[in-house]
Amino acid sequence: MSQPLVHAAQVRKSYGSNEVLKGIDIDVEAGEVVCLLGPSGSGKTTFLRCINQLEDIQAGRIWVDGDLMGYRQKGARLHRLKDKEIAAQRREIGMVFQRFNLFPHMTAIDNVMEAPVKVQGRPRAEVRTQAQELLDTVGLADKAHAYPNQLSGGQQQRVAIARALAMQPKLMLFDEPTSALDPELVGEVLEVMRDLAQQGMTMIVVTHEMAFARDVADRVIFMDGGVVVEQGSPKDVINNPQHARTKDFLKRLRAEHERVAEAAADLV
Ligand SMILES: Nc1ncnc2c1ncn2[C@@H]1O[C@H](COP(=O)(O)OP(=O)(O)O)[C@@H](O)[C@H]1O
Ligand SMILES: [Mg+2]
């Protein structure tokens, strides 16, 4: 029987007395692209950080490819894994953040090569070949020797994606990867993500890019207030939301898009 690649069951997370995730159940099949939508503060980032154990959780369980993340179960009890064991689990998961987080003192190709060489201990020559191929696939073949400050935000974000892929992850997490970009640079990053989805990568993408969600996602999950409010095909959730909170969120998002479009038109 095939199990989902990501299986999150009744995940609870608090910061002090503030419960941010209130029992999240989310499954993601291998090869599936899931877009996670929801208003600011609904717990989307926290959930991604719990998947790769940048945060510990107070209750529930998260499995990635059959591995219980962050914990070892003995009988009914969970024991936190050692930092080293958690780091090993995290290595299998690529993450791309809103901010590009490239090492500023390294060229694009050195950024891509860093973890495979230093963390995986793979041979430099082999890693260099792979890194150059990855830069090709994200459309940056000619920028291998550029430093981050010589690249646009969109180019930096594409390097960040190549860097995550260099670790040959089984899962990619994207946390609003285009929301820090100038509007004209958003498309080139989404294009790379679309290609990755087509190649069969399993992806969880937090985004406000509805066109991307509609075209690329297999499933859309709407979160609010630390719970999953509704989920389904993009067509169902985006075009025909069932819950008032989803409707309200989408309405506000559309109004915001229109404001941005009008402001841009005014400039022309
Ligand atoms: N490190 C933290 N310490 C305390 N509170 C946090 C921390 N990170 C997030 N929160 C709180 O958790 C809630 C959910 O945040 P977040 O997961 O970032 O939401 P989203 O990504 O959906 O905007 C917010 O109320 C936020 O203030
Ligand atoms: Mg967030």
Side-chain angles (χ1 to χ4, degrees):
M1 203 179 74
S2 86
Q3 56 183 352
L5 188 81
V6 179
H7 177 47
Q10 283 302 304
V11 173
R12 291 180 178 270
K13 168 73 190 171
S14 303
Y15 293 108
S17 61
N18 180 20
E19 191 173 48
V20 172
L21 301 179
K22 300 175 179 164
I24 297 282
D25 293 307
I26 287 178
D27 283 355
V28 181
E29 302 296 327
E32 198 179 18
V33 177
V34 169
C35 281
L36 203 53
L37 315 182
S40 178
S42 57
K44 305 178 301 294
T45 294
T46 302
F47 179 63
L48 293 189
R49 291 172 59 85
C50 289
I51 293 177
N52 68 7
Q53 292 295 310
L54 290 169
E55 303 287 349
D56 60 356
I57 60 181
Q58 273 73 53
R61 311 260 196 285
I62 302 171
W63 287 268
V64 175
D65 200 20
D67 285 339
L68 182 60
M69 297 301 291
Y71 301 87
R72 179 176 293 114
Q73 185 157 0
K74 279 189 191 149
R77 298 200 105 166
L78 290 187
H79 302 268
R80 186 86 177 144
L81 294 176
K82 296 194 186 78
D83 287 349
K84 234 173 132 174
E85 297 170 300
I86 292 174
Q89 290 184 325
R90 190 176 298 143
R91 242 171 262 152
E92 316 250 352
I93 301 173
M95 186 151 184
V96 176
F97 303 88
Q98 185 170 344
R99 293 268 159 209
F100 328 118
N101 307 109
L102 298 178
F103 302 114
H105 59 290
M106 289 185 191
T107 62
I109 195 160
D110 285 340
N111 265 280
V112 176
M113 291 176 62
E114 175 73 5
V117 170
K118 293 274 164 63
V119 181
Q120 290 178 325
R122 289 166 51 203
R124 263 196 106 74
E126 172 201 309
V127 171
R128 180 173 295 280
T129 305
Q130 184 214 5
Q132 185 62 55
E133 282 167 10
L134 283 168
L135 288 173
D136 290 354
T137 43
V138 300
L140 293 173
D142 56 338
K143 297 291 183 190
H145 301 292
Y147 285 88
N149 67 6
Q150 299 170 317
L151 298 171
S152 72
Q155 291 170 332
Q156 288 181 55
Q157 195 61 310
R158 286 185 280 149
V159 174
I161 294 172
R163 185 177 59 173
L165 293 174
M167 292 292 279
Q168 299 164 318
K170 42 185 151 187
L171 169 68
M172 285 285 287
L173 307 175
F174 292 88
D175 193 1
E176 302 198 34
T178 60
S179 55
L181 296 176
D182 292 335
E184 72 272 20
L185 304 178
V186 168
E188 64 191 57
V189 173
L190 294 179
E191 200 51 47
V192 166
M193 292 167 62
R194 189 186 299 257
D195 288 346
L196 195 56
Q198 260 155 18
Q199 287 159 28
M201 177 62 76
T202 312
M203 297 165 51
I204 304 179
V205 183
V206 175
T207 185
H208 292 167
E209 295 292 334
M210 287 307 118
F212 177 85
R214 201 181 278 131
D215 295 349
V216 181
D218 297 298
R219 189 152 46 95
V220 166
I221 298 178
F222 176 71
M223 272 177 72
D224 193 10
V227 300
V228 172
V229 174
E230 68 179 294
Q231 56 177 307
S233 73
K235 218 170 98 234
D236 287 343
V237 176
I238 297 173
N239 297 353
N240 190 21
Q242 297 303 303
H243 289 258
R245 283 196 277 178
T246 320
K247 288 179 194 171
D248 183 54
F249 170 75
L250 291 168
K251 204 162 89 191
R252 278 187 287 127
L253 205 60
R254 283 194 188 103
E256 173 64 23
H257 274 269
E258 275 159 29
R259 249 200 320 278
V260 171
E262 274 167 30
D266 283 348
L267 290 174
V268 180

